[in-house]
Amino acid sequence: MRALLPFAPEAASLAFSIRLSIQNPMSSPSAAAFRSRLALDLRGLALFRAGLGAVLLVDALLRLCSAPLLYADSGLLPRSVATGVIESARISLHLAYGSALFALGLTLLQALAAAALLLGWRTRVASLLCWVLAVSAAARHPAIVGAGDALALALLSWGLFLPLAARWSLDAANSRLDDEDPAHCSWAGVVMLGQTLCVFLFPALAQPGSVGLGALPLFDALRPTVDLALWWMLLIAPLLLFSFVLAPGRTILIARRAALFLALLLCALTIIAGDGGSLPWLGLCATALWIDRDLWARLGSQDAREGLRIFHAEGEPRARRLALGLREMLCLPQTSVAPAADS
């Protein structure tokens, strides 16, 4: 034991360095070259958060009228039947009470949580509440759970570990620094990026040669050709996005923007065809994470808004907070906020 004591400081230093590498692997020198390629832009995360909140809000409002039919004892699946047939129903909050009013209350709470996520107010709590209520509703009535519901749960799960409120949110109105680096790189971000790839890659692998958009307004003679072309686009888009990790030089931007264009086109065609429910809308939200930093710089050019200022009542903290929140909601991070006396 005494013979090992001289090596104790070196062992402690090695253990500490290993611990730091595990806690923040993206800060290690070996991963520094990939940081700019794997990093998510905070503006993309904000757009993703707002889109996800909007989709969840619309979905909750659409289910509000049918909540008693879906979740109450007087509906399609009473609690006595659900607990005896569905094993996952044991973890559902919707089983706590069987009245129609209780079902309406939970669905309304889900809508309010989605609205808070959309606005970026108490974002972490709102994301967790949306996730808990979505899991509870899915466990209560699995027959109505679709691919869009499963994808929304996956996106909410990884979003809990990401700074969704760092930009364009009410939470960021008083906390964000103007010179904060918009790039965010973490293991949760890498996994979220991989999740968005799966949205497009696995449907293409599951249906070789076809994307199943039979409702598109096309001539019958053109339908097979267009269907095959869309399938290739569905397959190529995630592969292009993944290739930017290894691509040299400016090829990174070309591959990433080509993948973004193909994904947006596929989601738009799916929406036009009327297939997929909320799935294509969630796909649109996911593509916000693919927008690169240079493209955000072009979209956020301040030339047209030069000299714009937001004034608030002097000596009123609430008025200042309202002005800061308005600046975030209007996506004007560089706009100055000043008392009305300075005008």
Side-chain angles (χ1 to χ4, degrees):
M1 186 67 180
R2 292 181 179 180
L4 295 177
L5 289 178
F7 301 96
E10 290 80 359
S13 177
L14 178 61
F16 182 71
S17 62
I18 293 175
R19 181 184 177 186
L20 288 179
S21 177
I22 293 175
Q23 288 179 345
N24 192 6
M26 290 300 169
S27 63
S28 62
S30 61
F34 293 94
R35 178 179 175 84
S36 60
R37 304 187 179 195
L38 295 176
L40 299 177
D41 197 285
L42 293 179
R43 292 160 291 189
L45 284 171
L47 184 58
F48 163 78
R49 183 209 75 240
L52 180 60
V55 173
L56 294 176
L57 176 60
V58 172
D59 182 71
L61 292 177
L62 290 176
R63 295 189 185 188
L64 190 61
C65 296
S66 58
L69 182 65
L70 297 175
Y71 308 123
D73 287 342
S74 58
L76 298 174
L77 189 64
R79 289 182 299 164
S80 58
V81 178
T83 53
V85 177
I86 306 172
E87 184 176 355
S88 61
R90 300 174 184 175
I91 62 173
S92 175
L93 293 176
H94 290 69
L95 287 174
Y97 201 64
S99 69
L101 187 61
F102 183 73
L104 285 171
L106 285 181
T107 308
L108 182 59
L109 179 61
Q110 191 171 3
L112 293 176
L117 181 63
L118 169 62
L119 298 175
W121 183 71
R122 310 289 184 186
T123 307
R124 194 80 67 179
V125 177
S127 300
L128 181 60
L129 190 57
C130 286
W131 183 83
V132 169
L133 292 175
V135 170
S136 176
R140 175 65 176 87
H141 209 309
I144 63 173
V145 177
D149 299 306
L151 178 59
L153 278 174
L155 296 177
L156 281 172
S157 300
W158 298 116
L160 290 171
F161 304 98
L162 293 171
L164 299 181
R167 285 288 194 277
W168 305 342
S169 66
L170 295 178
D171 290 341
N174 296 316
S175 61
R176 185 180 60 79
L177 299 176
D178 291 339
D179 57 350
E180 184 182 355
D181 186 6
H184 171 79
C185 193
S186 65
W187 282 120
V190 174
V191 175
M192 175 68 89
L193 197 60
Q195 180 69 62
T196 62
L197 294 179
C198 296
V199 175
F200 298 93
L201 181 60
F202 283 100
L205 297 178
Q207 297 179 345
S210 175
V211 294
L213 296 182
L216 278 177
L218 298 170
F219 294 107
D220 292 337
L222 296 177
R223 193 177 302 278
T225 304
V226 174
D227 202 24
L228 181 61
L230 292 177
W231 178 82
W232 276 108
M233 291 166 56
L234 190 65
L235 181 64
I236 291 174
L239 297 180
L240 279 175
L241 184 63
F242 179 74
S243 67
F244 77 84
V245 178
L246 303 175
R250 192 160 181 81
T251 310
I252 302 171
L253 293 179
I254 298 175
R256 192 162 187 168
R257 291 178 185 178
L260 177 64
F261 172 76
L262 292 177
L264 290 175
L265 181 59
L266 285 168
C267 291
L269 291 175
T270 308
I271 293 172
I272 293 173
D275 296 336
S278 62
L279 189 60
W281 295 101
L282 292 171
L284 281 178
C285 300
T287 56
L289 304 176
W290 299 9
I291 304 177
D292 58 89
R293 189 171 182 174
D294 293 340
L295 186 56
W296 274 118
R298 292 187 179 185
L299 295 175
S301 176
Q302 297 295 316
D303 295 339
R305 300 186 293 270
E306 187 176 358
L308 182 63
R309 303 178 69 184
I310 300 177
F311 296 98
H312 62 86
E314 187 175 6
E316 294 290 339
R318 292 184 179 180
R320 174 173 172 78
R321 287 196 296 268
L322 181 60
L324 292 172
L326 180 63
R327 182 180 69 173
E328 290 294 331
M329 291 297 100
L330 294 178
C331 305
L332 301 172
Q334 304 301 326
T335 302
S336 61
V337 176
D342 297 343
S343 60

